[in-house]
Amino acid sequence: MTDSAAVGDARRLLEGAIEALPEGRLAEQLGLGRPLRVKLGIDPTAPDIHLGHVVVLDELRAFQDAGHLVVLIVGDYTARIGDPSGRSAERPVLTEAEIDANAKTFQDQAFRVLDPGRTEVRRNSEWLSMPSDELFRLVRRFTVARLLEREEFSRRISAAEPISVLELLYPVLQGYDSVAVEADVEIGGTDQKFNLLFGRDVQEAFGEEPQSILTLPILPGTDGVRRMSKSQGNYVGVTDTPEEMFGKLMSIPDDAMEQYYRLLLPVRLDPKRHPGEAKRELARRLVERFHDADAALAAEARFDQVHVRGELPDDLEEAVVEADGPSGAVHLPAVLAEHFGLSRSEARRLIDQGGVRIGGRAVEPGRLDVPATDLDGEVLQVGKRRHARVRVAGEG
RNA sequence: GGGGGAGUUCCGGAGCGGUCAAACGGGGCGCCCUGUAAAGGCGCUGGCUCAGCCUUCGCAGGUUCGAAUCCUGCCUCCCCCA
């Protein structure tokens, strides 16, 4: 029996989802009239959460706002296995301390979206760290054939790529998480579909009511192509400064904008709008969300100043430089290395390519030393986005 | 247990005794263009006291005037047969 209110709730919650399985199950669950336990498993390898995570967290938040409980599982144990979705063959094994630290930052950041009062955080080592005879009892219930249904596995088999036994175990263990926390619903990206569904089998094997599952679209990174992820360097972190956030968002390809709008904002992209304007709005709204309206305005103003008009930002960092000897010459590669994290060789190349400016004028190729007086108080710029005001400290 | 193959610069992947800091592609970076988008053009992409020098081609030895390239041992990985 599902009352119409539950059906309405379900419709709202399913709005952003790609799939909800089994069909109609969520509406039934919502009709039970008790808070549902909604599970999300996270990997403690990436300590920062980014907009890709936000898509999922938003959905969880919607569940919380409807009165349900989120169970956040820190996969400290499964992290030792490595989910085959990331084709990364080997992951570095994290130490306990690293996992602690990552879990903590992740949690803190997740609470920028989630309601801590309706969130339960658990680590799967709590139940997965079991004696091997117990593990065997768990694993015995599943067949390899069942696991090979996963497309990733079958693809690798036909491509003659290796699959480790451990990887095969991953879905079983992460499915067991659902048993342990008695999940009613599990959420994940579309790439997690197999794992989510497999959780149902594991629950069933343990005499539990199988969860329903919800898959969500995957947000592309700032390159617009690959999924957003920290290791790809194409992410926008929720703790990025307003300037960084605004800048990164302005750099996404036009084609990706529609998805960013759909997955992260309450409004849709108006296809008739000028792309530049639409992108500004996207950037502005997201900065507002993770910082505030003033920060968004400031970030946009700075963006216009620095990148559109090519002017210098007001809040330049200061680089204090020592002049070299009584001649007062400053060795540019050394300065660039110290203040911009380049190697001196890189710095030389950059100079030769006209990528280094002093006071807006490109340093001529091959010119490695400049008189201190030409540099003091001037703005030293590398490429388009790195600059600092130089102060030459007394040459003695 | 048997047989075969591979480990190269951020990634993929050439090179198989000197002309190799190592082709080519991807990525990244710089300049031009522009809406800091995309596409495109040109260039760079080990380090340094930079017309030269130093350290790199899984690890350790060895052969040689000279090795990423040959030999020996070790480590790791993959494939096929059982």
mmCIF file of all heavy atoms in Angstrom, chain B residues 56-73:
data_model
loop_
_atom_site.group_PDB
_atom_site.id
_atom_site.type_symbol
_atom_site.label_atom_id
_atom_site.label_comp_id
_atom_site.label_asym_id
_atom_site.label_seq_id
_atom_site.Cartn_x
_atom_site.Cartn_y
_atom_site.Cartn_z
ATOM 1 P P U B 56 72.511 7.938 -13.066
ATOM 2 O OP1 U B 56 72.675 6.749 -12.224
ATOM 3 O OP2 U B 56 73.207 8.050 -14.378
ATOM 4 O "O5'" U B 56 70.967 8.167 -13.331
ATOM 5 C "C5'" U B 56 70.281 7.259 -14.133
ATOM 6 C "C4'" U B 56 68.872 7.750 -14.346
ATOM 7 O "O4'" U B 56 68.897 9.088 -14.915
ATOM 8 C "C3'" U B 56 68.164 6.934 -15.406
ATOM 9 O "O3'" U B 56 67.640 5.751 -14.833
ATOM 10 C "C2'" U B 56 67.098 7.893 -15.889
ATOM 11 O "O2'" U B 56 66.024 8.024 -15.003
ATOM 12 C "C1'" U B 56 67.907 9.191 -15.927
ATOM 13 N N1 U B 56 68.586 9.361 -17.229
ATOM 14 C C2 U B 56 67.807 9.485 -18.360
ATOM 15 O O2 U B 56 66.591 9.490 -18.336
ATOM 16 N N3 U B 56 68.502 9.625 -19.534
ATOM 17 C C4 U B 56 69.858 9.628 -19.700
ATOM 18 O O4 U B 56 70.333 9.751 -20.829
ATOM 19 C C5 U B 56 70.606 9.499 -18.481
ATOM 20 C C6 U B 56 69.959 9.371 -17.317
ATOM 21 P P C B 57 68.319 4.356 -15.240
ATOM 22 O OP1 C B 57 68.350 3.529 -14.022
ATOM 23 O OP2 C B 57 69.536 4.574 -16.044
ATOM 24 O "O5'" C B 57 67.225 3.769 -16.200
ATOM 25 C "C5'" C B 57 65.822 3.966 -15.929
ATOM 26 C "C4'" C B 57 65.101 3.648 -17.213
ATOM 27 O "O4'" C B 57 65.469 4.627 -18.176
ATOM 28 C "C3'" C B 57 65.489 2.286 -17.764
ATOM 29 O "O3'" C B 57 64.339 1.466 -17.645
ATOM 30 C "C2'" C B 57 65.839 2.507 -19.223
ATOM 31 O "O2'" C B 57 65.000 1.783 -20.083
ATOM 32 C "C1'" C B 57 65.543 4.000 -19.430
ATOM 33 N N1 C B 57 66.482 4.760 -20.264
ATOM 34 C C2 C B 57 66.166 4.857 -21.622
ATOM 35 O O2 C B 57 65.164 4.280 -22.054
ATOM 36 N N3 C B 57 66.972 5.595 -22.409
ATOM 37 C C4 C B 57 68.035 6.212 -21.902
ATOM 38 N N4 C B 57 68.783 6.924 -22.729
ATOM 39 C C5 C B 57 68.374 6.115 -20.509
ATOM 40 C C6 C B 57 67.567 5.387 -19.737
ATOM 41 P P G B 58 64.403 -0.060 -17.307
ATOM 42 O OP1 G B 58 65.720 -0.664 -17.599
ATOM 43 O OP2 G B 58 63.205 -0.445 -18.040
ATOM 44 O "O5'" G B 58 64.140 -0.222 -15.737
ATOM 45 C "C5'" G B 58 63.175 0.589 -15.090
ATOM 46 C "C4'" G B 58 62.942 0.049 -13.706
ATOM 47 O "O4'" G B 58 62.254 -1.216 -13.813
ATOM 48 C "C3'" G B 58 64.216 -0.279 -12.947
ATOM 49 O "O3'" G B 58 64.703 0.861 -12.267
ATOM 50 C "C2'" G B 58 63.755 -1.365 -11.983
ATOM 51 O "O2'" G B 58 63.110 -0.829 -10.870
ATOM 52 C "C1'" G B 58 62.745 -2.118 -12.847
ATOM 53 N N9 G B 58 63.329 -3.266 -13.545
ATOM 54 C C8 G B 58 63.348 -3.490 -14.896
ATOM 55 N N7 G B 58 63.938 -4.610 -15.221
ATOM 56 C C5 G B 58 64.318 -5.165 -14.003
ATOM 57 C C6 G B 58 64.991 -6.373 -13.717
ATOM 58 O O6 G B 58 65.398 -7.228 -14.508
ATOM 59 N N1 G B 58 65.178 -6.553 -12.361
ATOM 60 C C2 G B 58 64.775 -5.675 -11.388
ATOM 61 N N2 G B 58 65.041 -6.007 -10.143
ATOM 62 N N3 G B 58 64.141 -4.534 -11.639
ATOM 63 C C4 G B 58 63.944 -4.347 -12.956
ATOM 64 P P C B 59 66.238 1.037 -12.049
ATOM 65 O OP1 C B 59 66.424 2.375 -11.446
ATOM 66 O OP2 C B 59 66.938 0.687 -13.301
ATOM 67 O "O5'" C B 59 66.592 -0.068 -10.966
ATOM 68 C "C5'" C B 59 66.201 0.095 -9.611
ATOM 69 C "C4'" C B 59 66.792 -1.020 -8.798
ATOM 70 O "O4'" C B 59 66.240 -2.286 -9.264
ATOM 71 C "C3'" C B 59 68.301 -1.202 -8.950
ATOM 72 O "O3'" C B 59 69.015 -0.336 -8.093
ATOM 73 C "C2'" C B 59 68.479 -2.658 -8.544
ATOM 74 O "O2'" C B 59 68.440 -2.837 -7.151
ATOM 75 C "C1'" C B 59 67.228 -3.296 -9.162
ATOM 76 N N1 C B 59 67.498 -3.846 -10.504
ATOM 77 C C2 C B 59 68.117 -5.100 -10.589
ATOM 78 O O2 C B 59 68.422 -5.685 -9.545
ATOM 79 N N3 C B 59 68.364 -5.633 -11.800
ATOM 80 C C4 C B 59 68.022 -4.966 -12.904
ATOM 81 N N4 C B 59 68.279 -5.536 -14.082
ATOM 82 C C5 C B 59 67.403 -3.679 -12.847
ATOM 83 C C6 C B 59 67.165 -3.152 -11.629
ATOM 84 P P A B 60 70.475 0.068 -8.511
ATOM 85 O OP1 A B 60 70.922 1.024 -7.468
ATOM 86 O OP2 A B 60 70.524 0.437 -9.940
ATOM 87 O "O5'" A B 60 71.283 -1.287 -8.326
ATOM 88 C "C5'" A B 60 71.461 -1.846 -7.028
ATOM 89 C "C4'" A B 60 72.277 -3.101 -7.125
ATOM 90 O "O4'" A B 60 71.518 -4.131 -7.828
ATOM 91 C "C3'" A B 60 73.544 -2.982 -7.950
ATOM 92 O "O3'" A B 60 74.584 -2.389 -7.209
ATOM 93 C "C2'" A B 60 73.833 -4.438 -8.285
ATOM 94 O "O2'" A B 60 74.408 -5.138 -7.204
ATOM 95 C "C1'" A B 60 72.413 -4.972 -8.534
ATOM 96 N N9 A B 60 72.072 -4.941 -9.956
ATOM 97 C C8 A B 60 71.428 -3.958 -10.663
ATOM 98 N N7 A B 60 71.280 -4.232 -11.934
ATOM 99 C C5 A B 60 71.871 -5.471 -12.078
ATOM 100 C C6 A B 60 72.045 -6.322 -13.188
ATOM 101 N N6 A B 60 71.621 -6.026 -14.420
ATOM 102 N N1 A B 60 72.684 -7.496 -12.996
ATOM 103 C C2 A B 60 73.110 -7.799 -11.765
ATOM 104 N N3 A B 60 73.001 -7.080 -10.636
ATOM 105 C C4 A B 60 72.360 -5.928 -10.867
ATOM 106 P P G B 61 75.920 -1.994 -7.983
ATOM 107 O OP1 G B 61 76.681 -1.117 -7.080
ATOM 108 O OP2 G B 61 75.602 -1.551 -9.367
ATOM 109 O "O5'" G B 61 76.677 -3.382 -8.090
ATOM 110 C "C5'" G B 61 77.693 -3.525 -9.048
ATOM 111 C "C4'" G B 61 77.856 -4.981 -9.386
ATOM 112 O "O4'" G B 61 76.562 -5.545 -9.719
ATOM 113 C "C3'" G B 61 78.691 -5.221 -10.625
ATOM 114 O "O3'" G B 61 80.072 -5.188 -10.301
ATOM 115 C "C2'" G B 61 78.203 -6.585 -11.092
ATOM 116 O "O2'" G B 61 78.753 -7.630 -10.340
ATOM 117 C "C1'" G B 61 76.695 -6.446 -10.813
ATOM 118 N N9 G B 61 76.001 -5.872 -11.964
ATOM 119 C C8 G B 61 75.378 -4.645 -12.048
ATOM 120 N N7 G B 61 74.866 -4.415 -13.221
ATOM 121 C C5 G B 61 75.168 -5.548 -13.965
ATOM 122 C C6 G B 61 74.870 -5.874 -15.314
ATOM 123 O O6 G B 61 74.259 -5.191 -16.148
ATOM 124 N N1 G B 61 75.368 -7.109 -15.673
ATOM 125 C C2 G B 61 76.060 -7.955 -14.831
ATOM 126 N N2 G B 61 76.454 -9.104 -15.364
ATOM 127 N N3 G B 61 76.344 -7.666 -13.576
ATOM 128 C C4 G B 61 75.867 -6.455 -13.205
ATOM 129 P P G B 62 81.016 -4.372 -11.303
ATOM 130 O OP1 G B 62 82.359 -4.394 -10.710
ATOM 131 O OP2 G B 62 80.357 -3.081 -11.620
ATOM 132 O "O5'" G B 62 81.024 -5.264 -12.616
ATOM 133 C "C5'" G B 62 81.510 -6.604 -12.542
ATOM 134 C "C4'" G B 62 81.211 -7.344 -13.815
ATOM 135 O "O4'" G B 62 79.784 -7.316 -14.078
ATOM 136 C "C3'" G B 62 81.795 -6.757 -15.095
ATOM 137 O "O3'" G B 62 83.168 -7.081 -15.252
ATOM 138 C "C2'" G B 62 80.955 -7.483 -16.145
ATOM 139 O "O2'" G B 62 81.365 -8.806 -16.344
ATOM 140 C "C1'" G B 62 79.580 -7.470 -15.465
ATOM 141 N N9 G B 62 78.757 -6.371 -15.963
ATOM 142 C C8 G B 62 78.362 -5.230 -15.299
ATOM 143 N N7 G B 62 77.620 -4.430 -16.023
ATOM 144 C C5 G B 62 77.520 -5.085 -17.248
ATOM 145 C C6 G B 62 76.845 -4.722 -18.443
ATOM 146 O O6 G B 62 76.182 -3.702 -18.655
ATOM 147 N N1 G B 62 76.999 -5.663 -19.436
ATOM 148 C C2 G B 62 77.723 -6.833 -19.312
ATOM 149 N N2 G B 62 77.774 -7.611 -20.385
ATOM 150 N N3 G B 62 78.355 -7.192 -18.209
ATOM 151 C C4 G B 62 78.204 -6.284 -17.226
ATOM 152 P P U B 63 84.063 -6.280 -16.256
ATOM 153 O OP1 U B 63 85.433 -6.794 -16.155
ATOM 154 O OP2 U B 63 83.781 -4.837 -16.029
ATOM 155 O "O5'" U B 63 83.485 -6.668 -17.684
ATOM 156 C "C5'" U B 63 83.731 -7.957 -18.223
ATOM 157 C "C4'" U B 63 83.226 -8.021 -19.641
ATOM 158 O "O4'" U B 63 81.784 -7.820 -19.653
ATOM 159 C "C3'" U B 63 83.748 -6.922 -20.553
ATOM 160 O "O3'" U B 63 85.035 -7.241 -21.057
ATOM 161 C "C2'" U B 63 82.690 -6.907 -21.651
ATOM 162 O "O2'" U B 63 82.844 -7.979 -22.553
ATOM 163 C "C1'" U B 63 81.419 -7.121 -20.831
ATOM 164 N N1 U B 63 80.806 -5.841 -20.441
ATOM 165 C C2 U B 63 80.000 -5.199 -21.365
ATOM 166 O O2 U B 63 79.784 -5.654 -22.474
ATOM 167 N N3 U B 63 79.464 -4.007 -20.949
ATOM 168 C C4 U B 63 79.648 -3.397 -19.738
ATOM 169 O O4 U B 63 79.099 -2.316 -19.518
ATOM 170 C C5 U B 63 80.495 -4.122 -18.826
ATOM 171 C C6 U B 63 81.034 -5.282 -19.210
ATOM 172 P P U B 64 86.146 -6.144 -21.121
ATOM 173 O OP1 U B 64 87.362 -6.769 -21.680
ATOM 174 O OP2 U B 64 86.196 -5.477 -19.797
ATOM 175 O "O5'" U B 64 85.578 -5.105 -22.174
ATOM 176 C "C5'" U B 64 85.417 -5.465 -23.538
ATOM 177 C "C4'" U B 64 84.747 -4.358 -24.294
ATOM 178 O "O4'" U B 64 83.396 -4.172 -23.774
ATOM 179 C "C3'" U B 64 85.378 -2.976 -24.112
ATOM 180 O "O3'" U B 64 86.497 -2.808 -24.951
ATOM 181 C "C2'" U B 64 84.217 -2.069 -24.514
ATOM 182 O "O2'" U B 64 84.056 -2.021 -25.911
ATOM 183 C "C1'" U B 64 83.032 -2.810 -23.898
ATOM 184 N N1 U B 64 82.707 -2.283 -22.546
ATOM 185 C C2 U B 64 81.755 -1.277 -22.468
ATOM 186 O O2 U B 64 81.177 -0.838 -23.446
ATOM 187 N N3 U B 64 81.510 -0.788 -21.213
ATOM 188 C C4 U B 64 82.115 -1.204 -20.044
ATOM 189 O O4 U B 64 81.796 -0.675 -18.987
ATOM 190 C C5 U B 64 83.075 -2.253 -20.205
ATOM 191 C C6 U B 64 83.329 -2.740 -21.421
ATOM 192 P P C B 65 87.797 -2.155 -24.354
ATOM 193 O OP1 C B 65 88.868 -2.378 -25.336
ATOM 194 O OP2 C B 65 87.953 -2.598 -22.947
ATOM 195 O "O5'" C B 65 87.427 -0.605 -24.335
ATOM 196 C "C5'" C B 65 88.218 0.282 -23.574
ATOM 197 C "C4'" C B 65 87.737 1.693 -23.799
ATOM 198 O "O4'" C B 65 87.958 2.049 -25.193
ATOM 199 C "C3'" C B 65 86.247 1.895 -23.612
ATOM 200 O "O3'" C B 65 85.934 2.123 -22.251
ATOM 201 C "C2'" C B 65 85.980 3.126 -24.468
ATOM 202 O "O2'" C B 65 86.376 4.318 -23.829
ATOM 203 C "C1'" C B 65 86.903 2.851 -25.663
ATOM 204 N N1 C B 65 86.223 2.136 -26.743
ATOM 205 C C2 C B 65 85.334 2.851 -27.562
ATOM 206 O O2 C B 65 85.134 4.043 -27.327
ATOM 207 N N3 C B 65 84.711 2.214 -28.571
ATOM 208 C C4 C B 65 84.950 0.914 -28.783
ATOM 209 N N4 C B 65 84.319 0.323 -29.790
ATOM 210 C C5 C B 65 85.847 0.163 -27.967
ATOM 211 C C6 C B 65 86.467 0.810 -26.968
ATOM 212 P P G B 66 84.663 1.390 -21.631
ATOM 213 O OP1 G B 66 84.561 1.790 -20.211
ATOM 214 O OP2 G B 66 84.739 -0.038 -21.998
ATOM 215 O "O5'" G B 66 83.468 2.080 -22.417
ATOM 216 C "C5'" G B 66 83.153 3.453 -22.151
ATOM 217 C "C4'" G B 66 82.069 3.911 -23.085
ATOM 218 O "O4'" G B 66 82.513 3.713 -24.452
ATOM 219 C "C3'" G B 66 80.760 3.131 -23.019
ATOM 220 O "O3'" G B 66 79.951 3.647 -21.978
ATOM 221 C "C2'" G B 66 80.158 3.406 -24.386
ATOM 222 O "O2'" G B 66 79.565 4.676 -24.448
ATOM 223 C "C1'" G B 66 81.411 3.400 -25.269
ATOM 224 N N9 G B 66 81.658 2.109 -25.910
ATOM 225 C C8 G B 66 82.611 1.184 -25.559
ATOM 226 N N7 G B 66 82.604 0.139 -26.328
ATOM 227 C C5 G B 66 81.601 0.391 -27.242
ATOM 228 C C6 G B 66 81.131 -0.395 -28.330
ATOM 229 O O6 G B 66 81.533 -1.497 -28.714
ATOM 230 N N1 G B 66 80.063 0.233 -28.982
ATOM 231 C C2 G B 66 79.541 1.446 -28.652
ATOM 232 N N2 G B 66 78.541 1.879 -29.393
ATOM 233 N N3 G B 66 79.984 2.194 -27.645
ATOM 234 C C4 G B 66 80.999 1.605 -26.998
ATOM 235 P P A B 67 78.876 2.638 -21.268
ATOM 236 O OP1 A B 67 78.095 3.489 -20.315
ATOM 237 O OP2 A B 67 79.575 1.434 -20.807
ATOM 238 O "O5'" A B 67 77.956 2.210 -22.520
ATOM 239 C "C5'" A B 67 77.120 3.126 -23.201
ATOM 240 C "C4'" A B 67 75.734 2.535 -23.301
ATOM 241 O "O4'" A B 67 75.831 1.193 -23.791
ATOM 242 C "C3'" A B 67 75.058 2.539 -21.949
ATOM 243 O "O3'" A B 67 74.019 3.494 -22.098
ATOM 244 C "C2'" A B 67 74.612 1.080 -21.700
ATOM 245 O "O2'" A B 67 73.223 1.036 -21.664
ATOM 246 C "C1'" A B 67 75.094 0.318 -22.948
ATOM 247 N N9 A B 67 75.916 -0.882 -22.818
ATOM 248 C C8 A B 67 76.788 -1.278 -21.856
ATOM 249 N N7 A B 67 77.382 -2.423 -22.115
ATOM 250 C C5 A B 67 76.839 -2.790 -23.347
ATOM 251 C C6 A B 67 77.048 -3.894 -24.193
ATOM 252 N N6 A B 67 77.915 -4.882 -23.939
ATOM 253 N N1 A B 67 76.360 -3.956 -25.341
ATOM 254 C C2 A B 67 75.518 -2.964 -25.626
ATOM 255 N N3 A B 67 75.235 -1.860 -24.924
ATOM 256 C C4 A B 67 75.937 -1.857 -23.783
ATOM 257 P P A B 68 73.026 3.894 -21.039
ATOM 258 O OP1 A B 68 72.714 5.275 -21.438
ATOM 259 O OP2 A B 68 73.546 3.573 -19.693
ATOM 260 O "O5'" A B 68 71.702 3.030 -21.265
ATOM 261 C "C5'" A B 68 70.834 2.766 -20.167
ATOM 262 C "C4'" A B 68 69.631 2.002 -20.633
ATOM 263 O "O4'" A B 68 68.828 2.884 -21.452
ATOM 264 C "C3'" A B 68 69.930 0.805 -21.523
ATOM 265 O "O3'" A B 68 70.134 -0.337 -20.731
ATOM 266 C "C2'" A B 68 68.670 0.690 -22.351
ATOM 267 O "O2'" A B 68 67.635 0.018 -21.677
ATOM 268 C "C1'" A B 68 68.268 2.155 -22.526
ATOM 269 N N9 A B 68 68.751 2.753 -23.765
ATOM 270 C C8 A B 68 69.677 3.762 -23.900
ATOM 271 N N7 A B 68 69.888 4.104 -25.150
ATOM 272 C C5 A B 68 69.041 3.275 -25.865
ATOM 273 C C6 A B 68 68.802 3.147 -27.245
ATOM 274 N N6 A B 68 69.405 3.883 -28.174
ATOM 275 N N1 A B 68 67.896 2.231 -27.648
ATOM 276 C C2 A B 68 67.285 1.497 -26.710
ATOM 277 N N3 A B 68 67.437 1.520 -25.380
ATOM 278 C C4 A B 68 68.331 2.443 -25.024
ATOM 279 P P U B 69 70.823 -1.637 -21.333
ATOM 280 O OP1 U B 69 70.997 -2.574 -20.228
ATOM 281 O OP2 U B 69 71.980 -1.256 -22.195
ATOM 282 O "O5'" U B 69 69.699 -2.185 -22.278
ATOM 283 C "C5'" U B 69 69.915 -3.299 -23.114
ATOM 284 C "C4'" U B 69 69.694 -2.921 -24.560
ATOM 285 O "O4'" U B 69 69.929 -1.514 -24.726
ATOM 286 C "C3'" U B 69 70.623 -3.641 -25.528
ATOM 287 O "O3'" U B 69 69.889 -4.642 -26.207
ATOM 288 C "C2'" U B 69 71.105 -2.570 -26.496
ATOM 289 O "O2'" U B 69 70.747 -2.871 -27.817
ATOM 290 C "C1'" U B 69 70.351 -1.309 -26.049
ATOM 291 N N1 U B 69 71.108 -0.065 -26.129
ATOM 292 C C2 U B 69 71.207 0.535 -27.363
ATOM 293 O O2 U B 69 70.736 0.051 -28.372
ATOM 294 N N3 U B 69 71.900 1.724 -27.370
ATOM 295 C C4 U B 69 72.458 2.365 -26.305
ATOM 296 O O4 U B 69 73.018 3.428 -26.468
ATOM 297 C C5 U B 69 72.326 1.679 -25.053
ATOM 298 C C6 U B 69 71.666 0.512 -25.014
ATOM 299 P P C B 70 69.718 -6.084 -25.483
ATOM 300 O OP1 C B 70 68.929 -6.916 -26.421
ATOM 301 O OP2 C B 70 69.283 -5.915 -24.088
ATOM 302 O "O5'" C B 70 71.219 -6.608 -25.467
ATOM 303 C "C5'" C B 70 71.763 -7.284 -26.588
ATOM 304 C "C4'" C B 70 73.063 -7.960 -26.167
ATOM 305 O "O4'" C B 70 74.059 -6.925 -25.914
ATOM 306 C "C3'" C B 70 72.968 -8.708 -24.847
ATOM 307 O "O3'" C B 70 72.468 -10.024 -25.046
ATOM 308 C "C2'" C B 70 74.421 -8.705 -24.384
ATOM 309 O "O2'" C B 70 75.184 -9.679 -25.054
ATOM 310 C "C1'" C B 70 74.866 -7.313 -24.817
ATOM 311 N N1 C B 70 74.727 -6.289 -23.753
ATOM 312 C C2 C B 70 75.584 -6.352 -22.648
ATOM 313 O O2 C B 70 76.419 -7.257 -22.584
ATOM 314 N N3 C B 70 75.463 -5.422 -21.683
ATOM 315 C C4 C B 70 74.553 -4.458 -21.777
ATOM 316 N N4 C B 70 74.477 -3.556 -20.793
ATOM 317 C C5 C B 70 73.664 -4.380 -22.886
ATOM 318 C C6 C B 70 73.783 -5.303 -23.849
ATOM 319 P P C B 71 71.727 -10.793 -23.839
ATOM 320 O OP1 C B 71 71.159 -12.052 -24.374
ATOM 321 O OP2 C B 71 70.841 -9.810 -23.158
ATOM 322 O "O5'" C B 71 72.922 -11.146 -22.860
ATOM 323 C "C5'" C B 71 73.907 -12.100 -23.228
ATOM 324 C "C4'" C B 71 74.852 -12.322 -22.064
ATOM 325 O "O4'" C B 71 75.561 -11.087 -21.774
ATOM 326 C "C3'" C B 71 74.146 -12.655 -20.754
ATOM 327 O "O3'" C B 71 73.849 -14.040 -20.666
ATOM 328 C "C2'" C B 71 75.186 -12.217 -19.718
ATOM 329 O "O2'" C B 71 76.209 -13.165 -19.568
ATOM 330 C "C1'" C B 71 75.754 -10.963 -20.373
ATOM 331 N N1 C B 71 75.094 -9.720 -19.929
ATOM 332 C C2 C B 71 75.442 -9.194 -18.674
ATOM 333 O O2 C B 71 76.264 -9.791 -17.983
ATOM 334 N N3 C B 71 74.840 -8.045 -18.257
ATOM 335 C C4 C B 71 73.950 -7.434 -19.034
ATOM 336 N N4 C B 71 73.405 -6.304 -18.587
ATOM 337 C C5 C B 71 73.579 -7.955 -20.306
ATOM 338 C C6 C B 71 74.166 -9.085 -20.713
ATOM 339 P P U B 72 72.603 -14.547 -19.783
ATOM 340 O OP1 U B 72 72.441 -15.990 -20.013
ATOM 341 O OP2 U B 72 71.464 -13.615 -20.007
ATOM 342 O "O5'" U B 72 73.150 -14.303 -18.299
ATOM 343 C "C5'" U B 72 74.208 -15.103 -17.778
ATOM 344 C "C4'" U B 72 74.487 -14.705 -16.355
ATOM 345 O "O4'" U B 72 75.031 -13.356 -16.315
ATOM 346 C "C3'" U B 72 73.262 -14.622 -15.459
ATOM 347 O "O3'" U B 72 72.867 -15.904 -14.983
ATOM 348 C "C2'" U B 72 73.768 -13.722 -14.335
ATOM 349 O "O2'" U B 72 74.594 -14.412 -13.426
ATOM 350 C "C1'" U B 72 74.610 -12.713 -15.118
ATOM 351 N N1 U B 72 73.843 -11.509 -15.472
ATOM 352 C C2 U B 72 73.718 -10.523 -14.500
ATOM 353 O O2 U B 72 74.210 -10.620 -13.395
ATOM 354 N N3 U B 72 72.987 -9.424 -14.880
ATOM 355 C C4 U B 72 72.387 -9.212 -16.102
ATOM 356 O O4 U B 72 71.769 -8.172 -16.301
ATOM 357 C C5 U B 72 72.558 -10.279 -17.046
ATOM 358 C C6 U B 72 73.261 -11.361 -16.703
ATOM 359 P P G B 73 71.332 -16.187 -14.677
ATOM 360 O OP1 G B 73 71.170 -17.634 -14.489
ATOM 361 O OP2 G B 73 70.504 -15.475 -15.682
ATOM 362 O "O5'" G B 73 71.143 -15.443 -13.281
ATOM 363 C "C5'" G B 73 71.829 -15.939 -12.121
ATOM 364 C "C4'" G B 73 71.701 -14.945 -11.000
ATOM 365 O "O4'" G B 73 72.326 -13.690 -11.399
ATOM 366 C "C3'" G B 73 70.278 -14.527 -10.656
ATOM 367 O "O3'" G B 73 69.629 -15.471 -9.828
ATOM 368 C "C2'" G B 73 70.521 -13.204 -9.935
ATOM 369 O "O2'" G B 73 70.974 -13.385 -8.617
ATOM 370 C "C1'" G B 73 71.639 -12.603 -10.803
ATOM 371 N N9 G B 73 71.075 -11.759 -11.859
ATOM 372 C C8 G B 73 70.882 -12.072 -13.190
ATOM 373 N N7 G B 73 70.323 -11.097 -13.867
ATOM 374 C C5 G B 73 70.134 -10.089 -12.924
ATOM 375 C C6 G B 73 69.568 -8.803 -13.063
ATOM 376 O O6 G B 73 69.107 -8.269 -14.080
ATOM 377 N N1 G B 73 69.561 -8.107 -11.860
ATOM 378 C C2 G B 73 70.042 -8.599 -10.674
ATOM 379 N N2 G B 73 69.944 -7.797 -9.624
ATOM 380 N N3 G B 73 70.582 -9.790 -10.525
ATOM 381 C C4 G B 73 70.594 -10.481 -11.682
#
